[in-house]
Amino acid sequence: MPTILGQNQYGKAENRVVRITRDGTTHHIKDLNVSVALSGDMDEVHYSGSNANVLPTDTTKNTVYAFAKEHGIESAEQFGIHLARHFVTSQEPIHRARIRIEEYSWERIEAAGEGRHSFVREGRETRLAQITFDGERWEVVSGLKDLTVLNSTASEFWGYVKDRYTTLKEAYDRILATSVSGRWRFNWTDDAQEMPDWETSYEETRKHMLQAFAETYSLSLQQTMYQMGTRIIDHRGEIDEVRFSLPNSHHFLVDMEPFGLKNDNEVYFAADRPYGLIEATVLRDGCEARIPVDLTNL
Amino acid sequence: MPTILGQNQYGKAENRVVRITRDGTTHHIKDLNVSVALSGDMDEVHYSGSNANVLPTDTTKNTVYAFAKEHGIESAEQFGIHLARHFVTSQEPIHRARIRIEEYSWERIEAAGEGRHSFVREGRETRLAQITFDGERWEVVSGLKDLTVLNSTASEFWGYVKDRYTTLKEAYDRILATSVSGRWRFNWTDDAQEMPDWETSYEETRKHMLQAFAETYSLSLQQTMYQMGTRIIDHRGEIDEVRFSLPNSHHFLVDMEPFGLKNDNEVYFAADRPYGLIEATVLRDGCEARIPVDLTNL
Amino acid sequence: MPTILGQNQYGKAENRVVRITRDGTTHHIKDLNVSVALSGDMDEVHYSGSNANVLPTDTTKNTVYAFAKEHGIESAEQFGIHLARHFVTSQEPIHRARIRIEEYSWERIEAAGEGRHSFVREGRETRLAQITFDGERWEVVSGLKDLTVLNSTASEFWGYVKDRYTTLKEAYDRILATSVSGRWRFNWTDDAQEMPDWETSYEETRKHMLQAFAETYSLSLQQTMYQMGTRIIDHRGEIDEVRFSLPNSHHFLVDMEPFGLKNDNEVYFAADRPYGLIEATVLRDGCEARIPVDLTNL
Amino acid sequence: MPTILGQNQYGKAENRVVRITRDGTTHHIKDLNVSVALSGDMDEVHYSGSNANVLPTDTTKNTVYAFAKEHGIESAEQFGIHLARHFVTSQEPIHRARIRIEEYSWERIEAAGEGRHSFVREGRETRLAQITFDGERWEVVSGLKDLTVLNSTASEFWGYVKDRYTTLKEAYDRILATSVSGRWRFNWTDDAQEMPDWETSYEETRKHMLQAFAETYSLSLQQTMYQMGTRIIDHRGEIDEVRFSLPNSHHFLVDMEPFGLKNDNEVYFAADRPYGLIEATVLRDGCEARIPVDLTNL
């Protein structure tokens, strides 16, 4: 046989689970999108179609829902840890489990009446968590996508290389805007270590990211991005690596000279495509990079 | 000629305009998506291709940007009124202008330093405004889309018609969730009338809608929808008509009996398609319905 | 009570049904997305939440699947007629049914072996049908969306109005491209009339539309659009009304003078937003316009 | 400094370029979406914001358009090779260039008249190409996404592991459907080697994939996937590695017993989420895997 099987994985993707917790008439909500990917002793299902080692993807879906009941959802990360441990330890042919989770936030609606069971979905960013377990070592990567931010000043771009195809004019006061896609890896890898407080860690990491974006006087989006990563590494000891993928969401100053008007950094055209795309990893000194170069959407 | 030309309109759609206003080092931002549709004496461009009466769609785009400079953007509605008036009064062949606007909200990022020029986009709902002018009469319809809300209890569904194809079980405690698409029409139609405060009106209308959703003990989504409309008509004298299109975003209670577990209204599967779709108009008594049956996306 | 209920409708939207028909080892496939909207004696469900007149949306879903079995799917239009007739004639409180259908086309994969049961989905346009029945009169509107077409020459744009905000340069050889959204209304309204051959009608209408687009030397997109409508009315006696919504998908000639190159109508930038949007109704002389001004996505 | 910079890259993403070639009155069209990512000596722009080594993303955009004029677009792969070579060889600080291309296909509209300049866009799959160059070694990975295929029989699923959470019933005749996302890596890595015929290679690879999908009697989607990969490796000597990401697009047989009907593999519900997700690499024996585990959308 001239071909061989390489890396492979399977599972049920995008299980949408909503968990309500009732504290008297005050309800709480967790809203997740959970994807399961399992690997292990799976050659035969590829070669002959024998499913003897295959736990059905439908069962992985059922397990997500059952665990939301049995374990509750304390945090996306903790929920993923329960799931990954279960698949690897309960099925001999499964050697590795990767759980990916999107989390959607809800805010309480303040209203008259006794019950507190009404919510409006926050549409801001989507929170992300990826938990991988191989039976020994944990890898937890959290993150977010679609966090759209903008500085209306304090950004310049000049002093760049000019070649035959360069027509861009230097800018000494521009809008800097991006939609942050970020991932950060925790140095918690072992059940013997104390687990981070996942909820606090997320809130603090997000806050540092936003503040670094706002507080950096920017000569390039790369500089701002590096500051965002550095701020996280500096303040959050539980995190060793950060990777960002930042579109430069161009806001072009509209030329109003043809209309006899002066556009004094007031009116901008927000463009769709093309866009600059700036990507980098920021590491705690001495740590190894493990987050892949390409961030995936889920 | 066996064919005739019916209703027609043209213009530039989806002009993305961002307006920054500087109040010292404190900046303010307005972020709109503006679509222009013009009608009038336009037979010839359809019959022969003569553009003698056609103001180019490119010019309508330029006008959007120029007006953001010349008039500022006080509110989406006020900005649309400036534009619609301009097209109808400045071009003889144009008899009617319809301006549609999407507005995206931004929240300030609190950060160190003197400047206040950093923003994070709220992703919640998209605010909508449609302004139509025929040279004499104004019609302003405001609204929103993608406002996702959920009650985790206080909703039942029973007592319905059962036919040969009915298999649904009655529910005495269910999740009620929807993504509100709503439009409301103002009774301001004439320059001689006092203009509503568009910003306040939007905030208050949204608040009443959310509170009615939260405070209605629901026997059907229709009942909740009608209460949402009634609450608006009752409290906002400037509004005569409301129309809603509400998907019933099904959250199915997961059957855990096969796993030997009891799911006591705790774990739900959030489904995508199909979904119930519930639509209605609520009118102030004596008023005429003018919002079309089908709400469009823009 | 100061508020009254206006137009209202309800039903299950986006029922995805795939129907396989086996002709020996040769299979055939129909792939539809069916949305049901019912109206009638429904005041009480809005006022008090009483569901006594409400056939559940879940039942309308079940009916779609049951009818795919009982009646098969000859065409989207014929299938919609079965459904609409059923809802209006079997439930006394239901006075009007509107069925909307999206149809996705599949092409056979030619492969070795006896069976002919493999298909690849054509991604071109989505076919649309809307069937409305009030117990007496039928209205069938068919159509399509997302049919993307382009002429790389034979298009000009000049001789238009110029005002203070006009900067566009006249064009004597440009790309004309659009993504056709079209609807056409049949004059079949009564069971006593002979029904059109829906499948043939669709194929021929689509063909005339494409040919008119290709064969019209265009001085404006409006002119091309009108020719597309006229061609349909002229050739298809079963159709009385056509409405189009055509984005002008701008392809801007890239200015290469700064690089010392001459771009002789060779290289274009395909823009996203903003875009011109050109809409019109074309009618058979003497017929009334009934297709709404705003075409909805479904 | 406790943080260090890891892998980083930048460039302009999603440059939409349409290239028209005129062969008398017969026109040809190439329609691409080109993304540029450059790496090299870029530490300083991250640390201090100095752009002294930065060729602006705007220049990379201009280069894409200029090259479409100067070199034409023979194939996506050849075009990417021109671009990657240019960036690495013309700018000293740039050590590596990765060009990603989406290609959209157009089919000619047959119409009356002399000119052949009218096209309708095929919506089937999107063709993909990724070209990477580090100054010495080439890596070309081609592929596609959104190729939706379906077998209406010749698929079974049984004999799988059953645990406490397993409820799935075994299936002996089911629909097998997926939307293929595939990438394949060429063994052309060096300018000294003869370059593959990229256009022929794509067409043949696509054909083998479709035929393997259609001709495999499937006991699992993994088996079908492996056959698709094997067929490519067996027939296309220029390809050493294939990776697939295949959603199992579930088509559930609708239970019609409650309606007193028998659904003999005729009527299916096409589900959206969740879906099985099956991923694997198939390698020519002796070759190394280089395509990342996670296929990205662009």
Side-chain angles (χ1 to χ4, degrees), chain C residues 18 20 27 65 69 107 112 117-119 121 124 148-152 215 256 262 266 268-269, chain D residues 18 20 27 65 69 107 112 117-119 121 124 148-152 215 256 262 266 268-269:
Chain C
V18 169
I20 303 296
H27 291 198
Y65 289 104
K69 165 67 189 177
E107 188 186 315
H117 53 255
S118 299
F119 305 90
R121 184 166 155 174
R124 221 158 302 172
T148 304
V149 292
L150 180 151
N151 286 327
S152 55
E215 294 167 7
M256 300 203 173
K262 185 167 163 40
E266 293 162 293
Y268 297 86
F269 164 57
Chain D
V18 170
I20 303 296
H27 291 199
Y65 289 104
K69 163 69 189 176
E107 188 185 314
H117 53 254
S118 299
F119 304 90
R121 184 166 156 175
R124 222 161 301 171
T148 306
V149 291
L150 180 149
N151 286 328
S152 55
E215 293 167 7
M256 299 204 175
K262 185 168 163 41
E266 293 161 293
Y268 297 85
F269 164 59

Short mmCIF file of all heavy atoms in Angstrom, two decimals, chain C residues 18 20 27 65 69 107 112 117-119 121 124 148-152 215 256 262 266 268-269, chain D residues 18 20 27 65 69 107 112 117-119 121 124 148-152 215 256 262 266 268-269:
data_model
loop_
_atom_site.label_atom_id
_atom_site.label_comp_id
_atom_site.label_asym_id
_atom_site.label_seq_id
_atom_site.Cartn_x
_atom_site.Cartn_y
_atom_site.Cartn_z
N VAL C 18 -35.19 16.88 2.48
CA VAL C 18 -34.56 16.24 1.34
C VAL C 18 -35.39 15.01 0.98
O VAL C 18 -35.67 14.16 1.83
CB VAL C 18 -33.10 15.84 1.65
CG1 VAL C 18 -32.53 14.95 0.56
CG2 VAL C 18 -32.25 17.10 1.83
N ILE C 20 -35.68 11.75 -1.50
CA ILE C 20 -35.02 10.84 -2.44
C ILE C 20 -36.09 9.98 -3.12
O ILE C 20 -36.97 9.42 -2.46
CB ILE C 20 -34.03 9.92 -1.70
CG1 ILE C 20 -32.99 10.72 -0.92
CG2 ILE C 20 -33.37 8.94 -2.67
CD1 ILE C 20 -32.06 11.57 -1.74
N HIS C 27 -31.23 7.10 -8.45
CA HIS C 27 -31.94 7.92 -7.48
C HIS C 27 -32.08 9.35 -8.00
O HIS C 27 -31.28 9.82 -8.79
CB HIS C 27 -31.18 7.96 -6.15
CG HIS C 27 -31.18 6.65 -5.41
ND1 HIS C 27 -30.89 6.53 -4.08
CD2 HIS C 27 -31.47 5.38 -5.83
CE1 HIS C 27 -30.97 5.26 -3.71
NE2 HIS C 27 -31.31 4.55 -4.75
N TYR C 65 -42.95 17.47 6.22
CA TYR C 65 -42.29 16.18 6.02
C TYR C 65 -43.27 15.12 5.57
O TYR C 65 -42.99 14.33 4.66
CB TYR C 65 -41.53 15.78 7.29
CG TYR C 65 -40.32 16.65 7.52
CD1 TYR C 65 -40.32 17.65 8.47
CD2 TYR C 65 -39.20 16.51 6.71
CE1 TYR C 65 -39.22 18.49 8.65
CE2 TYR C 65 -38.10 17.34 6.87
CZ TYR C 65 -38.12 18.32 7.84
OH TYR C 65 -37.02 19.14 7.98
N LYS C 69 -43.67 12.84 1.77
CA LYS C 69 -43.92 11.41 1.60
C LYS C 69 -45.22 11.18 0.82
O LYS C 69 -45.24 10.44 -0.18
CB LYS C 69 -44.00 10.75 2.98
CG LYS C 69 -44.61 9.35 3.03
CD LYS C 69 -43.76 8.32 2.34
CE LYS C 69 -44.53 7.00 2.23
NZ LYS C 69 -43.77 5.97 1.51
N GLU C 107 -26.31 18.08 -8.96
CA GLU C 107 -25.92 17.50 -10.25
C GLU C 107 -25.40 16.09 -9.98
O GLU C 107 -24.77 15.85 -8.95
CB GLU C 107 -24.82 18.38 -10.84
CG GLU C 107 -24.41 18.07 -12.25
CD GLU C 107 -23.20 18.93 -12.64
OE1 GLU C 107 -23.22 20.15 -12.35
OE2 GLU C 107 -22.24 18.37 -13.20
N ALA C 112 -18.07 5.07 -11.77
CA ALA C 112 -18.16 3.67 -12.14
C ALA C 112 -19.18 2.97 -11.24
O ALA C 112 -19.56 3.47 -10.19
CB ALA C 112 -16.79 3.01 -12.01
N HIS C 117 -26.45 7.15 -7.51
CA HIS C 117 -27.01 7.72 -6.28
C HIS C 117 -26.07 8.77 -5.67
O HIS C 117 -26.16 9.06 -4.49
CB HIS C 117 -27.27 6.60 -5.26
CG HIS C 117 -26.05 5.76 -5.04
ND1 HIS C 117 -25.91 4.50 -5.56
CD2 HIS C 117 -24.90 6.01 -4.38
CE1 HIS C 117 -24.73 4.01 -5.22
NE2 HIS C 117 -24.10 4.92 -4.51
N SER C 118 -25.17 9.31 -6.50
CA SER C 118 -24.17 10.25 -5.99
C SER C 118 -24.37 11.62 -6.64
O SER C 118 -24.53 11.71 -7.85
CB SER C 118 -22.76 9.74 -6.26
OG SER C 118 -22.57 8.50 -5.61
N PHE C 119 -24.28 12.65 -5.81
CA PHE C 119 -24.62 13.99 -6.28
C PHE C 119 -23.63 15.01 -5.73
O PHE C 119 -23.10 14.86 -4.64
CB PHE C 119 -26.02 14.37 -5.80
CG PHE C 119 -27.10 13.40 -6.19
CD1 PHE C 119 -27.43 12.32 -5.37
CD2 PHE C 119 -27.77 13.54 -7.40
CE1 PHE C 119 -28.42 11.42 -5.73
CE2 PHE C 119 -28.76 12.65 -7.77
CZ PHE C 119 -29.08 11.58 -6.93
N ARG C 121 -23.57 19.22 -5.11
CA ARG C 121 -24.49 20.35 -5.07
C ARG C 121 -24.00 21.48 -5.96
O ARG C 121 -22.86 21.90 -5.87
CB ARG C 121 -24.65 20.85 -3.62
CG ARG C 121 -25.65 21.97 -3.47
CD ARG C 121 -26.02 22.18 -2.02
NE ARG C 121 -26.49 23.55 -1.79
CZ ARG C 121 -26.97 23.97 -0.64
NH1 ARG C 121 -27.05 23.16 0.41
NH2 ARG C 121 -27.39 25.21 -0.50
N ARG C 124 -24.72 27.50 -7.71
CA ARG C 124 -25.03 28.74 -8.43
C ARG C 124 -26.12 29.56 -7.72
O ARG C 124 -25.93 30.06 -6.63
CB ARG C 124 -25.45 28.40 -9.85
CG ARG C 124 -24.85 29.38 -10.85
CD ARG C 124 -24.80 28.79 -12.21
NE ARG C 124 -24.03 27.55 -12.25
CZ ARG C 124 -23.96 26.76 -13.30
NH1 ARG C 124 -24.66 27.04 -14.38
NH2 ARG C 124 -23.21 25.69 -13.28
N THR C 148 -24.95 35.25 -9.98
CA THR C 148 -23.94 36.30 -10.20
C THR C 148 -23.49 36.28 -11.66
O THR C 148 -23.05 35.25 -12.15
CB THR C 148 -22.75 36.07 -9.25
OG1 THR C 148 -23.25 36.03 -7.92
CG2 THR C 148 -21.73 37.20 -9.36
N VAL C 149 -23.63 37.42 -12.32
CA VAL C 149 -23.31 37.52 -13.74
C VAL C 149 -22.42 38.72 -14.01
O VAL C 149 -22.42 39.69 -13.23
CB VAL C 149 -24.60 37.61 -14.59
CG1 VAL C 149 -25.37 36.29 -14.55
CG2 VAL C 149 -25.49 38.75 -14.12
N LEU C 150 -21.68 38.65 -15.10
CA LEU C 150 -20.71 39.71 -15.41
C LEU C 150 -20.52 39.82 -16.91
O LEU C 150 -20.37 38.81 -17.60
CB LEU C 150 -19.38 39.36 -14.71
CG LEU C 150 -18.18 40.30 -14.87
CD1 LEU C 150 -17.29 40.21 -13.62
CD2 LEU C 150 -17.34 39.96 -16.10
N ASN C 151 -20.57 41.04 -17.42
CA ASN C 151 -20.13 41.34 -18.78
C ASN C 151 -18.81 42.09 -18.68
O ASN C 151 -18.73 43.12 -18.00
CB ASN C 151 -21.15 42.22 -19.51
CG ASN C 151 -22.39 41.45 -19.92
OD1 ASN C 151 -22.33 40.27 -20.23
ND2 ASN C 151 -23.53 42.15 -19.91
N SER C 152 -17.81 41.62 -19.40
CA SER C 152 -16.50 42.25 -19.28
C SER C 152 -16.33 43.42 -20.25
O SER C 152 -15.29 44.08 -20.25
CB SER C 152 -15.39 41.22 -19.47
OG SER C 152 -15.55 40.54 -20.69
N GLU C 215 -26.91 39.94 -23.90
CA GLU C 215 -27.10 40.50 -25.25
C GLU C 215 -27.41 42.00 -25.26
O GLU C 215 -27.45 42.60 -26.33
CB GLU C 215 -28.21 39.72 -25.97
CG GLU C 215 -27.78 38.27 -26.23
CD GLU C 215 -28.94 37.37 -26.64
OE1 GLU C 215 -30.05 37.87 -26.86
OE2 GLU C 215 -28.71 36.14 -26.74
N MET C 256 -2.81 52.20 -12.64
CA MET C 256 -1.44 51.69 -12.59
C MET C 256 -0.41 52.71 -13.03
O MET C 256 0.77 52.38 -13.15
CB MET C 256 -1.33 50.42 -13.44
CG MET C 256 -2.26 49.33 -12.93
SD MET C 256 -1.73 47.71 -13.43
CE MET C 256 -2.90 46.71 -12.50
N LYS C 262 0.32 50.61 -17.88
CA LYS C 262 -0.95 51.02 -18.48
C LYS C 262 -1.94 49.86 -18.32
O LYS C 262 -1.71 48.76 -18.78
CB LYS C 262 -0.73 51.32 -19.98
CG LYS C 262 -1.99 51.86 -20.65
CD LYS C 262 -1.69 52.44 -22.03
CE LYS C 262 -2.98 52.58 -22.84
NZ LYS C 262 -4.15 53.04 -22.07
N GLU C 266 -7.81 45.61 -18.12
CA GLU C 266 -7.37 44.25 -17.86
C GLU C 266 -7.52 43.84 -16.40
O GLU C 266 -7.91 42.73 -16.10
CB GLU C 266 -5.90 44.09 -18.25
CG GLU C 266 -5.67 44.20 -19.76
CD GLU C 266 -4.20 44.49 -20.07
OE1 GLU C 266 -3.73 45.61 -19.72
OE2 GLU C 266 -3.54 43.61 -20.64
N TYR C 268 -8.95 44.59 -12.53
CA TYR C 268 -10.00 45.28 -11.78
C TYR C 268 -9.95 44.89 -10.30
O TYR C 268 -9.62 43.76 -9.95
CB TYR C 268 -11.38 44.90 -12.35
CG TYR C 268 -11.59 45.34 -13.77
CD1 TYR C 268 -11.18 44.53 -14.84
CD2 TYR C 268 -12.20 46.56 -14.06
CE1 TYR C 268 -11.36 44.94 -16.16
CE2 TYR C 268 -12.39 46.97 -15.37
CZ TYR C 268 -11.97 46.15 -16.42
OH TYR C 268 -12.15 46.56 -17.71
N PHE C 269 -10.36 45.84 -9.47
CA PHE C 269 -10.60 45.59 -8.04
C PHE C 269 -12.10 45.37 -7.87
O PHE C 269 -12.92 46.23 -8.17
CB PHE C 269 -10.14 46.80 -7.22
CG PHE C 269 -10.66 46.84 -5.81
CD1 PHE C 269 -10.44 45.78 -4.93
CD2 PHE C 269 -11.40 47.93 -5.35
CE1 PHE C 269 -10.94 45.82 -3.62
CE2 PHE C 269 -11.89 47.99 -4.04
CZ PHE C 269 -11.66 46.92 -3.18
N VAL D 18 -9.75 40.86 -10.33
CA VAL D 18 -10.37 40.24 -11.51
C VAL D 18 -9.53 40.62 -12.71
O VAL D 18 -9.26 41.80 -12.94
CB VAL D 18 -11.83 40.71 -11.68
CG1 VAL D 18 -12.39 40.27 -13.03
CG2 VAL D 18 -12.69 40.16 -10.55
N ILE D 20 -9.18 40.32 -16.79
CA ILE D 20 -9.82 40.02 -18.08
C ILE D 20 -8.74 39.92 -19.15
O ILE D 20 -7.88 40.79 -19.24
CB ILE D 20 -10.82 41.14 -18.47
CG1 ILE D 20 -11.87 41.33 -17.38
CG2 ILE D 20 -11.46 40.85 -19.83
CD1 ILE D 20 -12.78 40.18 -17.13
N HIS D 27 -13.51 36.97 -24.54
CA HIS D 27 -12.83 37.35 -23.29
C HIS D 27 -12.69 36.13 -22.38
O HIS D 27 -13.49 35.22 -22.43
CB HIS D 27 -13.62 38.44 -22.56
CG HIS D 27 -13.63 39.76 -23.27
ND1 HIS D 27 -13.94 40.93 -22.63
CD2 HIS D 27 -13.34 40.09 -24.56
CE1 HIS D 27 -13.86 41.94 -23.49
NE2 HIS D 27 -13.51 41.45 -24.68
N TYR D 65 -2.03 43.73 -7.70
CA TYR D 65 -2.69 44.25 -8.91
C TYR D 65 -1.68 44.46 -10.04
O TYR D 65 -1.94 44.13 -11.19
CB TYR D 65 -3.45 45.54 -8.58
CG TYR D 65 -4.66 45.24 -7.73
CD1 TYR D 65 -4.70 45.49 -6.36
CD2 TYR D 65 -5.78 44.64 -8.31
CE1 TYR D 65 -5.81 45.18 -5.60
CE2 TYR D 65 -6.90 44.32 -7.55
CZ TYR D 65 -6.90 44.59 -6.19
OH TYR D 65 -8.00 44.26 -5.46
N LYS D 69 -1.23 42.52 -14.01
CA LYS D 69 -0.97 43.14 -15.30
C LYS D 69 0.35 42.63 -15.90
O LYS D 69 0.38 42.21 -17.06
CB LYS D 69 -0.91 44.67 -15.10
CG LYS D 69 -0.27 45.46 -16.22
CD LYS D 69 -1.13 45.47 -17.47
CE LYS D 69 -0.36 46.08 -18.66
NZ LYS D 69 -1.12 46.02 -19.89
N GLU D 107 -18.50 30.53 -15.67
CA GLU D 107 -18.86 29.77 -16.86
C GLU D 107 -19.38 30.76 -17.90
O GLU D 107 -20.01 31.75 -17.56
CB GLU D 107 -19.97 28.79 -16.47
CG GLU D 107 -20.37 27.78 -17.52
CD GLU D 107 -21.57 26.98 -17.01
OE1 GLU D 107 -21.54 26.56 -15.83
OE2 GLU D 107 -22.52 26.82 -17.78
N ALA D 112 -26.61 35.21 -28.20
CA ALA D 112 -26.50 35.67 -29.58
C ALA D 112 -25.48 36.81 -29.66
O ALA D 112 -25.12 37.40 -28.65
CB ALA D 112 -27.87 36.15 -30.07
N HIS D 117 -18.29 37.71 -24.03
CA HIS D 117 -17.76 38.44 -22.87
C HIS D 117 -18.72 38.37 -21.69
O HIS D 117 -18.64 39.21 -20.80
CB HIS D 117 -17.50 39.89 -23.27
CG HIS D 117 -18.72 40.54 -23.87
ND1 HIS D 117 -18.84 40.80 -25.22
CD2 HIS D 117 -19.89 40.93 -23.33
CE1 HIS D 117 -20.01 41.32 -25.48
NE2 HIS D 117 -20.67 41.43 -24.33
N SER D 118 -19.61 37.37 -21.70
CA SER D 118 -20.62 37.28 -20.64
C SER D 118 -20.43 35.99 -19.86
O SER D 118 -20.26 34.92 -20.44
CB SER D 118 -22.02 37.31 -21.25
OG SER D 118 -22.21 38.54 -21.93
N PHE D 119 -20.53 36.12 -18.52
CA PHE D 119 -20.20 35.01 -17.65
C PHE D 119 -21.21 34.90 -16.50
O PHE D 119 -21.75 35.90 -16.05
CB PHE D 119 -18.81 35.20 -17.04
CG PHE D 119 -17.72 35.40 -18.06
CD1 PHE D 119 -17.38 36.67 -18.52
CD2 PHE D 119 -17.05 34.31 -18.60
CE1 PHE D 119 -16.39 36.87 -19.46
CE2 PHE D 119 -16.05 34.49 -19.55
CZ PHE D 119 -15.72 35.77 -19.99
N ARG D 121 -21.30 33.13 -12.65
CA ARG D 121 -20.38 32.56 -11.67
C ARG D 121 -20.87 31.20 -11.21
O ARG D 121 -22.01 31.02 -10.82
CB ARG D 121 -20.26 33.51 -10.47
CG ARG D 121 -19.25 33.05 -9.44
CD ARG D 121 -18.92 34.17 -8.47
NE ARG D 121 -18.44 33.64 -7.20
CZ ARG D 121 -17.98 34.37 -6.20
NH1 ARG D 121 -17.94 35.68 -6.33
NH2 ARG D 121 -17.58 33.84 -5.08
N ARG D 124 -20.14 26.45 -7.07
CA ARG D 124 -19.81 25.18 -6.43
C ARG D 124 -18.72 25.33 -5.38
O ARG D 124 -18.94 25.96 -4.37
CB ARG D 124 -19.41 24.17 -7.51
CG ARG D 124 -20.03 22.80 -7.23
CD ARG D 124 -20.04 21.96 -8.48
NE ARG D 124 -20.81 22.61 -9.55
CZ ARG D 124 -20.85 22.18 -10.79
NH1 ARG D 124 -20.16 21.14 -11.17
NH2 ARG D 124 -21.61 22.78 -11.67
N THR D 148 -19.96 20.32 -1.83
CA THR D 148 -20.98 19.57 -1.10
C THR D 148 -21.41 18.35 -1.90
O THR D 148 -21.84 18.49 -3.05
CB THR D 148 -22.17 20.48 -0.79
OG1 THR D 148 -21.69 21.63 -0.11
CG2 THR D 148 -23.20 19.78 0.08
N VAL D 149 -21.26 17.18 -1.31
CA VAL D 149 -21.57 15.93 -2.02
C VAL D 149 -22.46 15.04 -1.16
O VAL D 149 -22.48 15.16 0.07
CB VAL D 149 -20.27 15.17 -2.38
CG1 VAL D 149 -19.49 15.92 -3.45
CG2 VAL D 149 -19.39 14.96 -1.15
N LEU D 150 -23.18 14.16 -1.81
CA LEU D 150 -24.16 13.32 -1.12
C LEU D 150 -24.33 12.00 -1.84
O LEU D 150 -24.47 11.97 -3.07
CB LEU D 150 -25.50 14.08 -1.06
CG LEU D 150 -26.71 13.44 -0.37
CD1 LEU D 150 -27.60 14.54 0.23
CD2 LEU D 150 -27.52 12.56 -1.31
N ASN D 151 -24.28 10.91 -1.07
CA ASN D 151 -24.70 9.60 -1.57
C ASN D 151 -26.03 9.26 -0.90
O ASN D 151 -26.12 9.26 0.32
CB ASN D 151 -23.68 8.51 -1.23
CG ASN D 151 -22.44 8.60 -2.08
OD1 ASN D 151 -22.48 8.99 -3.24
ND2 ASN D 151 -21.29 8.22 -1.50
N SER D 152 -27.03 8.92 -1.70
CA SER D 152 -28.35 8.66 -1.12
C SER D 152 -28.51 7.21 -0.67
O SER D 152 -29.56 6.84 -0.15
CB SER D 152 -29.44 9.06 -2.10
OG SER D 152 -29.25 8.41 -3.33
N GLU D 215 -17.86 6.10 -5.47
CA GLU D 215 -17.65 4.67 -5.73
C GLU D 215 -17.36 3.85 -4.48
O GLU D 215 -17.29 2.62 -4.55
CB GLU D 215 -16.53 4.50 -6.77
CG GLU D 215 -16.94 5.06 -8.13
CD GLU D 215 -15.78 5.21 -9.11
OE1 GLU D 215 -14.66 4.75 -8.77
OE2 GLU D 215 -15.99 5.79 -10.19
N MET D 256 -42.16 8.74 10.68
CA MET D 256 -43.54 9.04 10.26
C MET D 256 -44.57 8.10 10.87
O MET D 256 -45.75 8.18 10.51
CB MET D 256 -43.62 9.01 8.73
CG MET D 256 -42.70 10.04 8.11
SD MET D 256 -43.22 10.52 6.48
CE MET D 256 -42.03 11.82 6.14
N LYS D 262 -45.21 5.16 6.46
CA LYS D 262 -43.95 4.45 6.48
C LYS D 262 -42.94 5.22 5.63
O LYS D 262 -43.17 5.43 4.43
CB LYS D 262 -44.14 3.03 5.92
CG LYS D 262 -42.89 2.17 6.02
CD LYS D 262 -43.19 0.72 5.73
CE LYS D 262 -41.88 -0.05 5.42
NZ LYS D 262 -40.76 0.32 6.28
N GLU D 266 -37.06 7.74 2.22
CA GLU D 266 -37.49 8.71 1.20
C GLU D 266 -37.37 10.16 1.66
O GLU D 266 -36.97 11.03 0.90
CB GLU D 266 -38.97 8.45 0.84
CG GLU D 266 -39.18 7.12 0.12
CD GLU D 266 -40.65 6.69 0.19
OE1 GLU D 266 -41.13 6.37 1.31
OE2 GLU D 266 -41.29 6.67 -0.87
N TYR D 268 -35.97 13.01 4.42
CA TYR D 268 -34.93 13.27 5.41
C TYR D 268 -34.99 14.72 5.89
O TYR D 268 -35.32 15.63 5.12
CB TYR D 268 -33.55 13.01 4.81
CG TYR D 268 -33.33 11.58 4.40
CD1 TYR D 268 -33.74 11.12 3.15
CD2 TYR D 268 -32.72 10.67 5.26
CE1 TYR D 268 -33.54 9.80 2.77
CE2 TYR D 268 -32.52 9.36 4.89
CZ TYR D 268 -32.93 8.92 3.65
OH TYR D 268 -32.74 7.62 3.28
N PHE D 269 -34.61 14.90 7.15
CA PHE D 269 -34.39 16.23 7.71
C PHE D 269 -32.89 16.52 7.62
O PHE D 269 -32.07 15.80 8.22
CB PHE D 269 -34.87 16.27 9.17
CG PHE D 269 -34.36 17.44 9.97
CD1 PHE D 269 -34.63 18.74 9.57
CD2 PHE D 269 -33.63 17.25 11.14
CE1 PHE D 269 -34.16 19.84 10.31
CE2 PHE D 269 -33.16 18.33 11.89
CZ PHE D 269 -33.43 19.62 11.46
#
